[in-house]
């Protein structure tokens, strides 16, 4: 047993096991999932390099160059997943939503969906999250969003995956670049309202992601935000089509 415990702590062996696991996952979800290298300290740390996930169309869903997680692995045996710190660097995330409102990550949820409708027996806790050099895009029914992020720190309060709830105590963002083109639905508007009316309702895009995100405090520095309404005709006195915020401090 001691020899086995020693062997599985060798990074090379851990990486081989991870390759077998990702091959099995790829077969299960019918898409490509891979990792380049994994290093597990069975006491409190997991380090993964080169995480890659494709969607069902063969496009990149997620690439993460470097992921480090401080976690008590022995706590998992007690159904207690305590992610004390998550550090994610140099990553690309690409979300898409089709005309039926289905996201390109839905196949992952479906693959592990259980017929048991009772809540998960695992308790998941998240402490701090650090994000560096993140590139993300989302092509949703509500609009197209492109995000570039140099550095972000999150202090979490609660994360409940059963309720699809993320409650954040504090967020600190530096060097954010956000480009958003929002498409407004005008199907339910009265026919006598002009096309350039400001009465049309634009909902926050995170609502489309199927989860509730709460945040108590947000600090944004050295950032640029560009917002464009994709289908409102320019008004006579005020054009809401373009809002451009720069050098937020």
């Amino acid at each position: 047993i001691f020899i086995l415990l020693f062997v599985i702590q060798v990074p090379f062996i851990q990486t081989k096991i991870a390759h077998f696991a990702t091959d099995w996952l790829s077969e299960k979800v019918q898409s490509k999932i891979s990792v380049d290298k994994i290093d597990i300290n069975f006491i409190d740390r997991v380090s993964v390099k080169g995480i890659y996930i494709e969607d069902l169309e063969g496009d990149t869903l997620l690439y993460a160059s470097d992921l480090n997680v401080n976690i008590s692995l022995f706590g998992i045996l007690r159904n207690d997943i305590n992610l004390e710190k998550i550090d994610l660097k140099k990553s690309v995330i690409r979300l898409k939503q089709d005309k039926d409102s289905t996201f390109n990550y839905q196949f992952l949820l479906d693959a592990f969906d259980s017929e048991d409708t009772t809540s998960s027996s695992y308790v998941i806790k998240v402490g701090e999250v650090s994000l560096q050099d993140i590139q993300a895009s989302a092509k949703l029914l509500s609009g197209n969003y492109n995000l570039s992020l140099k550095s972000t720190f999150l202090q979490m309060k609660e994360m409940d995956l059963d309720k699809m709830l993320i409650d954040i105590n504090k967020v600190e963002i530096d060097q954010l670049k956000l480009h958003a083109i929002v498409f407004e639905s005008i199907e339910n508007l009265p026919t006598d309202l002009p096309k350039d009316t400001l009465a049309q309702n634009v909902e926050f895009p995170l609502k489309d992601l199927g989860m509730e995100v709460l945040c108590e405090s947000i600090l944004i520095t050295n950032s640029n935000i560009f917002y464009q309404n994709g289908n409102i005709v320019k008004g006579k006195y005020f054009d809401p089509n373009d809002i451009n915020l720069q050098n937020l401090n």
Side-chain angles (χ1 to χ4, degrees):
I1 296 178
F2 291 104
I3 295 176
L4 178 61
L5 290 175
F6 174 78
V7 169
I8 62 177
Q9 291 193 62
V10 177
F12 175 78
I13 301 299
Q14 293 175 354
T15 299
K16 284 294 184 181
I17 295 174
H19 288 167
F20 283 118
T22 52
D23 288 343
W24 176 82
L25 286 173
S26 297
E27 182 68 23
K28 183 175 179 63
V29 304
Q30 295 297 298
S31 189
K32 183 177 180 180
I33 299 178
S34 64
V35 297
D36 291 338
K37 183 179 179 181
I38 188 169
D39 183 4
I40 302 175
N41 178 326
F42 283 90
I43 298 177
D44 62 359
R45 179 181 57 81
V46 175
S47 177
V48 187
K49 296 185 181 296
I51 303 171
Y52 179 74
I53 303 176
E54 280 186 358
D55 64 20
L56 294 179
E57 295 181 355
D59 297 326
T60 299
L61 175 60
L62 169 69
Y63 173 76
S65 175
D66 198 347
L67 173 64
N68 294 283
V69 180
N70 287 5
I71 179 175
S72 174
L73 295 177
F74 293 110
I76 298 178
L77 301 177
R78 303 188 300 270
N79 293 346
D80 183 12
I81 302 178
N82 187 9
L83 307 174
E84 297 177 359
K85 185 175 182 180
I86 301 175
D87 188 4
L88 181 63
K89 299 177 180 177
K90 296 181 180 179
S91 300
V92 175
I93 303 169
R94 294 175 180 169
L95 302 179
K96 291 185 293 184
Q97 185 181 30
D98 64 22
K99 61 182 180 179
D100 297 322
S101 299
T102 302
F103 289 94
N104 60 335
Y105 60 77
Q106 184 62 44
F107 72 100
L108 296 173
L109 303 179
D110 293 341
F112 297 97
D113 186 27
S114 172
E115 295 181 357
D116 182 5
T117 58
T118 60
S119 61
S120 172
S121 59
Y122 286 95
V123 177
I124 302 177
K125 300 178 182 177
V126 180
E128 298 179 352
V129 179
S130 175
L131 308 175
Q132 298 182 48
D133 298 320
I134 307 296
Q135 303 287 330
S137 65
K139 294 183 178 180
L140 311 179
L141 295 180
S142 63
N144 296 332
Y145 309 88
N146 290 281
L147 179 146
S148 173
L149 187 62
K150 185 63 177 178
S151 175
T152 293
F153 171 80
L154 299 91
Q155 187 179 74
M156 304 294 295
K157 183 182 298 182
E158 179 185 1
M159 185 174 72
D160 191 325
L161 296 182
D162 291 326
K163 298 179 180 178
M164 293 297 284
L165 169 66
I166 297 177
D167 193 352
I168 306 170
N169 184 45
K170 179 174 64 174
V171 177
E172 297 177 355
I173 301 174
D174 185 49
Q175 297 185 50
L176 162 70
K177 293 182 179 179
L178 174 63
H179 189 282
I181 300 178
V182 179
F183 306 134
E184 296 183 0
S185 174
I186 59 175
E187 294 178 357
N188 299 322
L189 285 178
T191 56
D192 57 340
L193 287 179
K195 292 292 185 178
D196 62 342
T197 179
L198 299 181
Q200 301 177 39
N201 183 37
V202 180
E203 295 180 335
F204 193 62
L206 283 179
K207 183 176 181 180
D208 290 342
L209 297 182
M211 65 179 64
E212 183 178 7
V213 180
L214 307 175
C215 184
E216 184 173 328
S217 173
I218 301 178
L219 175 64
I220 303 177
T221 57
N222 305 313
S223 298
N224 295 329
I225 299 176
F226 176 82
Y227 166 91
Q228 182 180 42
N229 193 301
N231 60 0
I232 282 187
V233 179
K234 294 184 178 181
K236 183 176 181 180
Y237 301 105
F238 172 70
D239 179 11
N241 196 46
D242 300 297
I243 297 177
N244 192 353
L245 305 179
Q246 299 186 20
N247 300 323
L248 296 179
N249 293 298

